[in-house]
Amino acid sequence: MAHNTQLDDKRRTVSELGRRMLQQGLTKGTGGNISVREGDQIAISPSGIPYDEIDPEDVPVIGIDGEQVAGDTDPSSESRMHAGIIRERDDVGAVVHTHSPYASTFASLDEPVLPSHYLIAFVGDEIPVAPYETYGTAELAEAALDTLGDEYNACLLQSHGVIATGEDAEAAYEVALMVEYVSRVHYQALNAGDPEYLADEEVADLIEIFEGYGQSGDTETAIAEPATDLQTEREAVADLGREMLAQGLTEGTGGNISTRNGDRVAINPSGIPYQEIDSEDVPLVHIDGEQIAGELGASSEKPMHLQIMRERDDVGAVVHTHSPYASTFASLHEPIPATHYLIAFAGKEVPVTPYAKPGSEELGAAAVEALGDDHNACLLGNHGVITVGEDAEAAFEVALMVEYCARVHYQGSNIGEPVHLPDAELEHLFDRFSDYGQSG
């Protein structure tokens, strides 16, 4: 086979994503596999080799027919399934197969994951389940392909795991992350009560929105002039984005952060992985919504951030997360009550909004109403969390406390009846927290 530099890049991607899949808990041991297409050739994980030992040169190459054409290692035992999906779906450039635990729980139940969280739309109106077939067989490949059809970007494999697809490797990997995330939220919501499900038309709207998610190259949104001022605010957005990911407050590119200086606001760019965002990548917008600097378009949730800042003079920063325990209560449409004293960082409870379309003025208005003047956080129905503070560090601290209190309340409710703090004690806590820390 003649040397192919682009195929070398695909082999490198398979090697890198395998390590990431292991680090992010999407598989254990040598389970799962990844493939990336380059023309009529496919770079695919080698069979049975630990991910942290796979270098790019160890990644074999198969043809679109599934036959090996290059490499000294044997291709994954699931090469039939990967090749079949890529061959039959012109829109698929990569396949990620995981054994992620929450999604695999539903696979073991032979139950689809239902739309209790809006990020299901990365996949479709649900995450369907393919019937069980022995691993590595043509029958499993056919079952997966039949279940995906033309409309789903992922499916569960009964008593096995997950298949996720995308136009390229990063897109397929993002789908795999979202499958595990929404499976976790759905599992926890079922444990805690009765989730509120999104209507078919709401999911259809979301699927359409996600088709244009990320950087579109729209010159009316992103402008050529780089952001050169508000250095402190832009650094805070970049740094806290990485911290949000590291602390488990979001997955993939979900969530967003903004911080203001007067009438100008630094906010993270849309659809860019947090680990790739430096301060110079952070766009600036005017509080009226116009982007005034930055080569990348601002977050799709810009309307919500700016509405909150316009309505609350005390708010200097907004943090929007998809933290899993808090998002569980968002999917239940239930507030987080005061069963732990740290709820006072947010208010007497963490209220919840009705569902509204992400990125819409309606979602911003719902968040403003739920926050009112008395709350520093609210849940967004079937979506996630909004927290606010006088600066970015304060808003991020509230986000951490909301997720902590949500987890404590979830776990307490699973084994008993948590005790609720009285209003008088909460008022006392508000006074204590108002001057918490070093006074100088």
Side-chain angles (χ1 to χ4, degrees):
M1 184 177 70
H3 185 73
N4 185 326
T5 302
Q6 291 178 313
L7 191 57
D8 287 345
D9 290 340
K10 303 301 189 291
R11 297 170 86 176
R12 187 175 302 109
T13 297
V14 169
S15 171
E16 292 171 353
L17 287 183
R19 288 181 169 86
R20 199 192 306 176
M21 185 163 67
L22 194 65
Q23 291 164 357
Q24 294 189 297
L26 296 185
T27 194
K28 293 291 185 183
T30 60
N33 23 76
I34 298 165
S35 65
V36 188
R37 178 177 190 166
E38 176 57 42
D40 286 339
Q41 296 174 334
I42 302 167
I44 189 168
S45 305
S47 179
I49 299 178
Y51 287 106
D52 53 4
E53 297 178 12
I54 299 172
D55 294 321
E57 58 269 24
D58 300 318
V59 175
V61 178
I62 60 176
I64 201 77
D65 59 359
E67 295 297 319
Q68 185 166 355
V69 297
D72 296 328
T73 58
D74 293 333
S76 166
S77 59
E78 299 294 6
S79 58
R80 283 193 186 91
M81 180 165 60
H82 287 254
I85 293 168
I86 289 172
R87 187 171 59 246
E88 296 299 326
R89 286 273 297 261
D90 292 339
D91 60 320
V92 171
V95 176
V96 174
H97 169 42
T98 79
H99 293 169
S100 53
Y102 286 98
S104 295
T105 298
F106 288 98
S108 293
L109 292 166
D110 194 19
E111 291 184 6
V113 180
L114 299 179
S116 57
H117 193 282
Y118 88 109
L119 289 175
I120 196 104
F122 266 84
V123 173
D125 58 2
E126 65 175 12
I127 307 172
V129 190
Y132 178 79
E133 298 289 351
T134 303
Y135 82 95
T137 62
E139 290 78 11
L140 178 60
E142 183 177 353
L145 191 56
D146 287 348
T147 303
L148 289 169
D150 295 325
E151 57 185 318
Y152 293 106
N153 292 326
C155 70
L156 307 179
L157 306 174
Q158 184 192 333
S159 304
H160 187 151
V162 180
I163 281 288
T165 68
E167 63 180 357
D168 57 31
E170 286 293 343
Y173 192 82
E174 179 93 347
V175 171
L177 285 173
M178 294 304 103
V179 166
E180 179 64 358
Y181 171 76
V182 299
S183 297
R184 177 179 179 177
V185 170
H186 189 53
Y187 171 86
Q188 291 177 174
L190 288 170
N191 257 351
D194 296 316
E196 295 279 343
Y197 295 116
L198 296 170
D200 290 347
E201 58 270 20
E202 291 169 335
V203 177
D205 285 343
L206 288 166
I207 291 171
E208 186 175 346
I209 289 171
F210 286 169
E211 286 175 354
Y213 177 68
Q215 297 295 320
S216 65
D218 182 356
T219 55
E220 294 182 0
T221 303
I223 62 179
E225 179 185 347
T228 56
D229 55 358
L230 270 66
Q231 180 68 18
T232 300
E233 288 78 9
R234 288 186 287 112
E235 286 179 353
V237 169
D239 292 345
L240 288 177
R242 287 188 283 273
E243 186 66 14
M244 184 163 66
L245 198 63
Q247 294 271 11
L249 298 183
T250 193
E251 294 284 356
T253 60
N256 22 76
I257 298 169
S258 66
T259 185
R260 73 185 289 182
N261 186 327
D263 286 339
R264 295 180 298 169
V265 180
I267 186 169
N268 54 287
S270 179
I272 305 295
Y274 289 105
Q275 60 269 26
E276 297 178 11
I277 299 173
D278 295 319
S279 60
E280 59 266 25
D281 301 316
V282 175
L284 301 179
V285 299
H286 192 272
I287 199 153
D288 65 6
E290 178 187 3
Q291 184 159 334
I292 55 178
E295 298 172 346
L296 298 173
S299 167
S300 59
E301 295 295 3
K302 176 182 71 174
M304 177 169 59
H305 287 250
L306 299 183
Q307 281 187 64
I308 293 168
M309 289 180 177
R310 287 195 297 266
E311 293 295 327
R312 288 272 297 262
D313 292 338
D314 61 319
V315 170
V318 177
V319 173
H320 168 41
T321 79
H322 293 168
S323 54
Y325 286 100
S327 295
T328 296
F329 290 100
S331 290
L332 291 163
H333 287 215
E334 292 182 7
I336 303 168
T339 54
H340 192 284
Y341 86 105
L342 289 175
I343 200 82
F345 269 85
K348 291 185 177 179
E349 65 175 10
V350 183
V352 60
T353 73
Y355 172 78
K357 186 186 299 185
S360 66
E361 296 288 342
E362 292 78 11
L363 180 59
V368 166
E369 182 177 355
L371 289 169
D373 296 324
D374 301 324
H375 294 94
N376 291 327
C378 71
L379 307 178
L380 307 174
N382 303 100
H383 188 149
V385 183
I386 282 287
T387 65
V388 302
E390 62 181 359
D391 57 30
E393 289 288 349
F396 192 81
E397 180 84 352
V398 175
L400 288 172
M401 295 304 103
V402 167
E403 179 63 359
Y404 173 76
C405 290
R407 179 175 183 174
V408 168
H409 184 63
Y410 172 82
Q411 292 176 170
S413 299
N414 268 347
I415 60 173
E417 294 288 339
V419 177
H420 292 221
L421 294 170
D423 287 351
E425 175 58 16
L426 291 169
E427 295 289 350
H428 178 59
L429 289 168
F430 299 153
D431 290 339
R432 293 289 299 272
F433 283 174
S434 65
D435 59 358
Y436 176 71
Q438 298 295 315
S439 64

